[in-house]
Structure formats: C-alpha cells, structure tokens
Amino acid sequence: MSQGHALSDDQVAGELRKMTAFIRQEALEKAREIQLKADEEFAIEKSKLVRQETAAIDSLYEKKFKQAAMSQQITRSTLANRTRIRVLSARQELLNDLFERARAKVSQVASGDKSKYQDVLRGLILEGSYALNEEKISVRAREKDYDLVKKAIEDAAKEFKEKIGKEVTVDLDESNPLPAESAGGVVIIGGRGKIEIADTFEERLRLLEIDALPAVRETLFGKNLNRKFYD
C-alpha cells in the first residue's frame, strides 16, 4: 500500500488556479450561449412585434382609406343627386310654365273668332256622338256659348246622319251649365245620364299634358339615355 504525499502550498495554489480558470471558461462560454440565445429570442420577438404592428398599421390605414373612399363616394352621390334634383326641378318649372301658357292660349280660343269656335264645338259634339252612338244625347256648355252650341248641334247632327246613316237627337241641357270661368268646350252625356264625356278645353289640355309629355320632354331636353322601358 503506497502512502500518499501531501501537496505543497504551491501545488494547491496551482490546482486552484486551474480549477478557477476552468470554471471561469465554462462560465464565459455559458454566458455567451445565454447571450446568443437571448439575442436570437429578442430578434424573433422583435420581428414578431414589428410584423404585428405593421399589420395593425396597414389594417388601420386600409380602414381609413375605405372610410375616406366611402365618404368621397357619398359626397359625390349627394352632389350628383342635388344637381339632378335641381335639373329636374328646373325642367318641371319649364314644363309647368309651358302648359300654363298653353292654358292661357286655350282660354282665348272661345273669345276669339266665333265661327272657328263654333266649328270646334261642332267637332267635339260630333266626336261624342260617334263615341256614344246613341239615338239621343245631351250637351252641357257655358251659358254664354248657348247660341253657338245650338248651331253646332244642328251641324253635328246633320253630319252624323250623313256619315252614319241614322239620326241623333242632341239636346242642350240649359239647366246645368258649365262654370262661367271654364275655358270652353262641352260635356256630352249619354247612357241615360250615366255616361259623361268631358270635351272641355281644360280636360283636352289635361289629357294632352299626359299623352304628349314624353314627346315634349324629348323635344326640349333630348332622349333620356337612362330610360329602359317604353310604353
């Protein structure tokens, strides 16, 4: 059995230095590993945060862009509607003025050339006689037109017989005259009082406004390119 030798102080100090150096080296390497791992994790986390913030900023600006685009579209639409309403309003005012002037001219027909007005009355009575095609009808008119209407009735009855081949009796209903402020014309009654044909100038003009309005609009303003359906 060999006997161990005790280490000298120098030897012990040398061993301690070696161990200290080894431990320091291990610690330095471990610290480097930890630092590298920390840097790597930091870089990963930083990249993740940057991507998240970038996505959030992109989403925010996309939302703001959509809101701005929508606001701009609403503004354009509002302005376009206001302009369209102004144009339609101006057009309607022009049409109203046009038909108002037409009403004023129509009211002058009865107060103008009496022979022409009598011929117009004859045509209206004859038209009503054709439409009703009855043996006996009655006519309402303005009281101040009675003399002209009576002559028009005679001419209309004569022409009706010539063209249809049978007589028609047309009575002037003097008990129920048309309003004095009426522009003129007549109302023809048949079917034992149940059928009434309004052939007054006001009614004729009203029907003309309805029937001729599309043509008048096209003449004044051109074709409506947005219109898809036609009667």
Side-chain angles (χ1 to χ4, degrees), residues 16-32:
L16 285 174
R17 283 195 296 273
K18 288 179 182 178
M19 290 178 65
T20 301
F22 176 77
I23 291 171
R24 183 182 292 110
Q25 183 65 31
E26 286 289 325
L28 289 172
E29 290 180 0
K30 194 67 176 175
R32 251 192 317 270

Side-chain angles (χ1 to χ4, degrees), residues 26 50 58 61 80 102 142-143 179 200 207 213:
E26 286 289 325
V50 169
D58 289 344
Y61 275 96
R142 299 186 306 179
E143 191 171 355
T200 61
L207 294 176
L213 187 57

Side-chain angles (χ1 to χ4, degrees), residues 6-231:
L7 296 174
S8 65
D9 290 341
D10 291 338
Q11 288 176 323
V12 170
E15 289 298 325
L16 285 174
R17 283 195 296 273
K18 288 179 182 178
M19 290 178 65
T20 301
F22 176 77
I23 291 171
R24 183 182 292 110
Q25 183 65 31
E26 286 289 325
L28 289 172
E29 290 180 0
K30 194 67 176 175
R32 251 192 317 270
E33 289 179 5
I34 292 172
Q35 184 64 44
L36 289 172
K37 188 168 183 61
D39 290 344
E40 182 181 354
E41 290 179 353
F42 173 76
I44 293 172
E45 189 65 22
K46 178 182 176 182
S47 177
K48 180 180 177 183
L49 289 173
V50 169
R51 286 196 302 272
Q52 287 177 348
E53 290 302 317
T54 301
I57 292 171
D58 289 344
S59 177
L60 178 62
Y61 275 96
E62 183 179 357
K63 183 179 180 180
K64 288 185 176 180
F65 178 79
K66 287 182 178 178
Q67 288 176 342
M70 180 63 70
S71 177
Q72 189 178 35
Q73 184 177 354
I74 291 172
T75 301
R76 282 200 303 264
S77 178
T78 301
L79 290 175
N81 284 336
R82 285 179 182 173
T83 302
R84 180 172 176 272
I85 289 172
R86 288 197 198 99
V87 170
L88 291 176
S89 178
R91 287 183 175 183
Q92 190 59 46
E93 285 180 10
L94 178 60
L95 290 171
N96 290 343
D97 180 65
L98 181 66
F99 285 118
E100 189 62 36
R101 282 186 285 170
R103 277 188 283 272
K105 285 187 176 293
V106 163
S107 64
Q108 295 173 4
V109 173
S111 59
D113 189 326
K114 297 301 180 182
S115 62
K116 288 184 179 180
Y117 181 43
Q118 180 183 319
D119 192 54
V120 170
L121 292 172
R122 178 198 58 79
L124 294 176
I125 295 169
L126 188 60
E127 184 181 87
S129 302
Y130 289 147
L132 293 171
N133 196 23
E134 296 179 5
E135 293 182 356
K136 186 175 182 179
I137 61 175
S138 61
V139 172
R140 293 175 56 209
R142 299 186 306 179
E143 191 171 355
K144 58 185 174 182
D145 292 337
Y146 281 174
D147 290 340
L148 294 176
V149 172
K150 289 176 182 178
K151 294 176 182 177
I153 286 175
E154 293 178 5
D155 294 340
K158 182 179 179 181
E159 187 172 343
F160 183 85
K161 183 177 180 181
E162 291 174 354
K163 292 187 176 180
I164 302 300
K166 63 180 183 180
E167 293 187 356
V168 58
T169 300
V170 183
D171 294 327
L172 175 59
D173 183 3
E174 298 186 29
S175 64
N176 190 17
L178 294 181
E181 63 272 15
S182 171
V186 294
V187 173
I188 302 166
I189 301 168
R192 296 181 180 178
K194 295 180 180 179
I195 301 175
E196 187 174 286
I197 300 176
D199 261 340
T200 61
F201 288 170
E202 289 92 345
E203 181 63 17
R204 281 301 185 103
L205 183 58
R206 187 187 71 82
L207 294 176
L208 179 63
E209 287 182 24
I210 296 172
D211 295 339
L213 187 57
V216 172
R217 278 180 174 159
E218 184 173 330
T219 301
L220 292 176
F221 313 121
K223 281 192 174 183
N224 184 355
L225 299 179
N226 295 320
R227 187 175 181 184
K228 296 181 179 179
F229 302 102
Y230 295 86
D231 294 333

